[in-house]
């Protein structure tokens, strides 16, 4: 048996041990043996134990009975959304900001759950722990298979479950009260340990079956499995050898999974105690304290600024933590960091150059690596850190340009702000802007579903409240906002106070740069943006405030206004911007993506011609 096969087998053994420890129920006293509660109550109580304070979703006839348990629970608040897609986005945003917690949404069978699945797929793609609870017909109806509403009319009551299997990491369909608690615990544990969405079918009758409560006395084990000590020590030795050979010319590159899999603290300890320069990929923005003196900026392959690109690509060794190497995250796959100079750390494996070590997860490995590398600090701190520091440009035009906007709003941000940027000009424009210490950045760079940020801002604002963070600030284009705008009404209704910057550039600017600059399909109808908050139930000037700015001076004056800055009510700012203006990084990325798309089209044309 090869070393690789042995390592894989050992990793699976460790995983099974972890699952056994998770499912084991110990210490059940006889005094608890007779205590029971409903299955629905058990589920809600488990979530409360894990620190969940909000559940998002839309009521439907197959989940209404369960929602009584939610509404009656003193620690979990039901947040009704305008539609299930927005609810999924909200659960996603909540989980991203609420470190170590899962987002939860509840929908009804068929029509509700299918509406949410785009949001669930995005959470799967970007490693976000979301529990999707689906209220479904009773166990008896599922066996008899009548032609119920919300079904496909053909007796397939498992059709949506099969869909969910493709976009969730773990699933459970509760069929009896005997295993209901164990199944609930299993999928919730998978959700948190694997940082991916999970799916739970809760039949109407089973929600009201009584089960023993004793299992709740055993907390869920949500820590990652232990690493095999022998393999782990071997990996550490190999990394230390590479660091020694690199003669301290080492950099750390941090990406999204460092955030999703809960190793931000371990990463901070690594870069502070070793002194190595540290950089981040776009999806890893704010995984590193961007005010840290040895933080160099965002590396995006060939799109990177020269000082960053040179430092990262010329390093003799790159310690890559939590990488997700998607096209938009790597400058259309233009990373120039060869495998021979790279060590990759992931949640469930480690790669040292060409060698893979399954089951050696970064959560437990990084602290030990920090101890081993700390003696190298004296040499490491002498390494220069390549930085790009954006400045507010002096331009001849009064228009609010992309070049001006992002350095200017960078001066507006405060420590502990939660900043959400929509796919497009916002997510590309803000990348190079250093954010203050404690700031949290949210963007959906891999899945890229436009409109995601509106629901996500709702969930993020709630999580920020729970954690005692600062303002929640959204940047979104006029096209994207039209997809999911209804959730503004929920924010108003619930008394949330985000600041919403609407970049009104008359349509889909990112699409224009990808293809069809002057095509009508990239145009949209111009709404009366400053009337939106009032339309959705706010009282202008009292419970909501709306602004329109057309010039640099108007924007700057607003950002300097103390009342606006304090964010005492929900605020919307419509910024009138040039239609065909875009951030530098977006233009370069669009050009690279366009070449790829044309190449694919040419191959297709050539194939047809050959036929």
């Amino acid at each position: 048996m090869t070393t690789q096969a042995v390592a894989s087998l050992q990793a699976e053994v460790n995983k099974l041990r972890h699952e056994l420890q998770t499912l084991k129920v110990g210490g059940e006293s006889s005094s608890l043996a007779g205590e029971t509660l409903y299955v629905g109550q058990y589920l809600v109580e488990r979530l409360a134990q894990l620190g969940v304070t909000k559940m998002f979703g839309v009521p439907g006839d197959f989940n209404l009975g369960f929602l009584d348990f939610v509404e009656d629970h003193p620690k979990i608040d039901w947040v009704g959304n305008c539609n299930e897609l927005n609810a999924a986005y909200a659960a996603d945003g909540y989980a991203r900001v609420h470190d170590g917690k899962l987002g939860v949404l509840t929908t009804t069978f068929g029509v509700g759950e299918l509406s949410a699945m785009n949001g669930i797929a995005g959470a799967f793609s970007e490693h976000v722990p979301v529990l999707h609870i689906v209220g479904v017909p009773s166990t008896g109806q599922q066996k008899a298979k009548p032609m119920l509403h919300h079904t496909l009319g053909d007796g397939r009551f498992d059709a949506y479950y099969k869909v969910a299997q493709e976009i969730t990491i773990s699933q459970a369909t509760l069929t009896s009260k005997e295993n209901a608690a164990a199944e609930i615990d299993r999928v919730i544990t998978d959700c948190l340990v694997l940082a991916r969405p999970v799916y739970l079918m809760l039949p109407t009758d089973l929600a009201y079956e009584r089960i023993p409560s004793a299992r709740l006395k055993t907390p869920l084990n949500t820590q990652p499995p232990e690493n095999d000590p022998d393999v782990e020590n071997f990996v550490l030795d190999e990394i230390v050898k590479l660091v020694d050979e690199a003669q301290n010319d080492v950099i750390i590159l941090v990406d999204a999974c460092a955030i999703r899999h809960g190793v931000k603290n371990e990463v901070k300890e690594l870069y502070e105690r070793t002194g190595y320069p540290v950089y981040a990929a776009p999806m890893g923005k704010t995984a590193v304290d961007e005010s840290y003196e040895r933080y160099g900026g965002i590396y995006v392959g060939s799109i990177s600024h020269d000082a960053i690109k040179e430092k990262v690509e010329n390093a003799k060794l790159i310690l890559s933590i939590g990488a997700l190497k998607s096209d938009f995250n790597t400058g259309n796959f233009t990373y120039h960091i060869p495998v021979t100079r790279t060590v990759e750390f992931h949640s469930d494996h480690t790669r040292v150059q060409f060698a893979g070590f399954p089951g050696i997860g970064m959560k437990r490995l990084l602290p030990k690596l920090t101890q081993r590398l700390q003696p190298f600090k004296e040499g490491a701190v002498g390494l220069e850190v390549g930085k790009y520091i954006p400045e507010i440009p002096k331009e001849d035009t009064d228009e609010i340009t992309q070049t001006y906007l992002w350095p200017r709003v960078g001066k507006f941000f405060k420590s502990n702000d939660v900043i959400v940027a929509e796919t497009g000009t916002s997510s590309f424009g803000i990348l190079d802007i250093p954010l203050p210490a404690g700031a949290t950045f949210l963007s959906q760079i891999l899945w890229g579903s436009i409109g995601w940020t509106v629901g996500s801002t709702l969930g993020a604002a709630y999580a920020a409240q729970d954690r005692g963070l600062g303002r929640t600030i959204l940047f979104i284009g006029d096209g994207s906002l039209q997809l999911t705008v209804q959730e503004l009404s929920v924010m108003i209704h619930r008394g949330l106070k985000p600041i919403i910057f609407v970049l009104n550039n008359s349509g889909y600017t990112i699409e224009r740069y990808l293809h069809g600059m002057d095509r009508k399909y990239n145009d949209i109808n111009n709404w009366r943006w400053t009337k939106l908050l009032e339309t959705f139930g706010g009282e202008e000037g009292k419970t909501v405030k709306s602004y329109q700015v057309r010039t640099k001076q108007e924007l700057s004056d607003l950002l300097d206004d103390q009342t606006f800055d304090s964010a005492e009510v929900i605020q919307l700012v419509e910024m009138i911007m040039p239609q065909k203006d875009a951030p530098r990084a977006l233009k370069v990325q669009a050009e690279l993506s366009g070449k790829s798309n044309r190449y694919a089209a040419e191959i297709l044309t050539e194939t047809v011609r050959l036929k």
Side-chain angles (χ1 to χ4, degrees):
M1 185 178 289
T2 65
T3 303
Q4 182 83 1
V6 171
S8 296
L9 182 60
Q10 185 61 53
E12 187 63 25
V13 170
N14 288 345
K15 179 183 175 184
L16 291 172
R17 285 175 178 165
H18 181 271
E19 290 178 357
L20 285 173
Q21 185 179 355
T22 299
L23 294 175
K24 183 181 178 181
V25 179
E28 294 183 17
S29 65
S30 58
S31 62
L32 291 172
E35 295 183 11
T36 63
L37 76 175
Y38 294 115
V39 169
Q41 289 177 313
Y42 182 94
L43 172 55
V44 177
E45 190 59 39
R46 261 304 187 213
L47 296 175
Q49 287 181 352
L50 294 167
V52 174
T53 63
K54 300 291 182 291
M55 183 183 294
F56 304 93
V58 178
D61 57 345
F62 292 120
N63 65 30
L64 293 174
F66 169 67
L67 294 187
D68 287 345
F69 298 131
V70 178
E71 186 168 314
D72 292 343
H73 198 281
K75 293 183 180 179
I76 295 185
D77 190 17
W78 168 255
V79 181
N81 297 91
C82 294
N83 60 57
E84 291 87 358
L85 175 61
N86 288 348
Y89 290 163
D92 182 316
Y94 179 91
R96 290 185 191 230
V97 174
H98 226 321
D99 288 349
K101 303 293 190 298
L102 68 163
V104 184
L105 77 151
T106 298
T107 65
T108 196
F109 182 62
V111 292
E113 59 181 303
L114 292 180
S115 293
M117 282 189 177
N118 176 47
I120 297 299
F124 184 90
S125 174
E126 302 216 348
H127 292 249
V128 182
V130 172
L131 169 63
H132 185 185
I133 303 168
V134 182
V136 301
S138 69
T139 53
Q141 289 174 319
Q142 291 184 53
K143 291 177 182 177
K145 296 180 172 41
M147 192 178 291
L148 280 182
H149 61 290
H150 299 341
T151 70
L152 298 171
D154 60 1
R156 288 185 296 149
F157 280 66
D158 63 346
Y160 317 131
Y161 179 89
K162 290 180 178 178
V163 175
Q165 287 180 307
E166 300 298 323
I167 55 173
T168 57
I169 200 70
S170 184
Q171 311 81 31
T173 173
L174 303 186
T175 56
S176 71
K177 66 179 184 179
E178 282 72 27
N179 69 348
E183 285 292 272
I184 289 169
D185 288 353
R186 176 180 64 81
V187 294
I188 291 176
T189 301
D190 287 346
C191 185
L192 287 166
V193 172
L194 303 175
R196 284 267 175 85
V198 297
Y199 176 89
L200 178 66
M201 289 177 62
L202 180 61
T204 54
D205 59 331
L206 201 56
Y208 278 81
E209 289 283 354
R210 297 196 75 90
I211 59 174
S213 63
R215 192 181 180 95
L216 289 172
K217 295 294 182 180
T218 303
L220 296 183
N221 176 17
T222 59
Q223 293 300 307
E226 294 281 352
N227 294 338
D228 178 87
D230 292 336
V231 178
E232 185 178 66
N233 285 330
F234 177 80
V235 169
L236 289 168
D237 288 342
E238 291 300 300
I239 296 172
V240 172
K241 286 179 188 177
L242 291 175
V243 170
D244 192 37
E245 291 170 2
Q247 297 179 326
N248 271 327
D249 189 1
V250 178
I251 66 101
I252 300 169
L253 179 59
V254 187
D255 208 342
C257 284
I259 303 171
R260 307 289 191 267
H261 292 276
V263 296
K264 285 175 64 176
N265 290 336
E266 289 81 358
V267 170
K268 183 178 182 180
E269 184 181 30
L270 174 65
Y271 64 70
E272 286 185 343
R273 290 179 60 183
T274 62
Y276 290 124
V278 58
Y279 299 82
M283 289 179 68
K285 188 172 176 64
T286 66
V288 176
D289 177 358
E290 298 189 357
S291 67
Y292 175 57
E293 65 271 14
R294 296 188 63 74
Y295 170 71
I298 300 291
Y299 175 66
V300 206
S302 64
I303 298 177
S304 309
H305 288 280
D306 290 341
I308 298 170
K309 185 173 183 291
E310 180 181 356
K311 185 63 181 178
V312 172
E313 295 181 357
N314 290 333
K316 292 181 180 177
L317 185 66
I318 297 98
L319 303 179
S320 172
I321 303 175
L324 278 176
K325 297 180 182 178
S326 71
D327 52 355
F328 279 16
N329 203 37
T330 63
N332 214 50
F333 309 114
T334 58
Y335 266 25
H336 293 288
I337 47 175
V339 175
T340 54
R341 292 192 277 124
T342 305
V343 177
E344 288 191 11
F345 303 88
H346 296 278
S347 62
D348 59 356
H349 72 283
T350 301
R351 293 195 63 83
V352 181
Q353 296 174 309
F354 293 99
F357 299 91
I360 303 301
M362 60 185 173
K363 181 75 172 177
R364 301 186 186 277
L365 180 66
L366 288 175
K368 297 170 186 174
L369 180 64
T370 298
Q371 292 178 357
R372 298 284 296 272
L373 296 185
Q374 192 169 354
F376 292 89
K377 183 172 184 178
E378 184 176 350
V381 293
L383 294 171
E384 182 183 351
V385 179
K387 276 183 176 288
Y388 169 75
I389 302 175
E391 296 181 356
I392 301 174
K394 295 180 179 179
E395 298 176 325
D396 295 334
T397 177
D398 288 335
E399 291 181 307
I400 303 171
T401 63
Q402 296 283 341
T403 307
Y404 171 85
L405 172 63
W406 300 109
R408 179 61 188 90
V409 297
K411 307 292 184 182
F412 175 70
F413 298 140
K414 298 179 182 178
S415 177
N416 295 322
D417 279 346
V418 176
I419 300 157
V420 190
E422 178 62 55
T423 297
T425 55
S426 298
S427 61
F428 279 93
I430 204 169
L431 282 181
D432 292 326
I433 306 305
L435 301 181
T440 301
F441 177 70
L442 275 67
S443 187
Q444 200 189 53
I445 292 173
L446 174 53
W447 185 244
S449 182
I450 62 172
W452 166 83
T453 55
V454 186
S456 184
T457 295
L458 171 66
Y462 270 127
Q465 275 187 358
D466 288 353
R467 293 186 56 200
L469 300 180
R471 304 169 301 180
T472 300
I473 304 170
L474 167 63
F475 293 92
I476 186 169
D478 51 343
S480 295
L481 182 53
Q482 289 192 1
L483 272 76
T484 50
V485 69
Q486 311 98 307
E487 243 31 52
L488 295 181
S489 69
V490 179
M491 298 177 197
I492 295 168
H493 177 61
R494 305 286 299 198
L496 296 173
K497 304 170 184 178
I499 301 173
I500 301 157
F501 289 94
V502 182
L503 283 64
N504 185 350
N505 47 21
S506 303
Y508 301 119
T509 297
I510 185 172
E511 310 291 9
R512 294 187 197 281
Y513 273 89
L514 289 169
H515 184 77
M517 180 64 75
D518 297 304
R519 289 289 186 175
K520 293 180 180 178
Y521 50 66
N522 285 325
D523 298 336
I524 64 169
N525 185 36
N526 189 37
W527 289 3
R528 295 182 180 178
W529 299 102
T530 56
K531 299 293 184 182
L532 276 182
L533 298 183
E534 192 173 11
T535 300
F536 284 126
E539 188 175 354
E540 184 61 45
K542 292 186 178 180
T543 61
V544 303
K545 290 184 180 179
S546 305
Y547 311 85
Q548 184 189 75
V549 292
R550 292 179 172 271
T551 67
K552 291 182 174 71
Q553 191 61 52
E554 289 176 351
L555 173 61
S556 189
D557 289 345
L558 181 62
L559 295 177
D560 288 338
D561 182 89
Q562 291 185 357
T563 302
F564 177 76
D565 177 276
S566 63
E568 294 298 324
V569 297
I570 183 172
Q571 299 175 103
L572 184 146
V573 181
E574 178 190 7
M575 296 186 292
I576 308 299
M577 303 183 71
Q579 183 188 67
K580 298 180 181 180
D581 187 25
R584 177 198 65 87
L586 188 152
K587 292 177 181 179
V588 178
Q589 177 67 59
E591 182 179 357
L592 292 171
S593 296
K595 288 179 180 178
S596 299
N597 292 340
R598 281 195 294 273
Y599 176 75
E602 289 168 5
I603 291 294
L604 179 61
T605 302
E606 184 64 26
T607 302
V608 172
R609 188 182 298 117
L610 290 173
K611 288 182 179 179

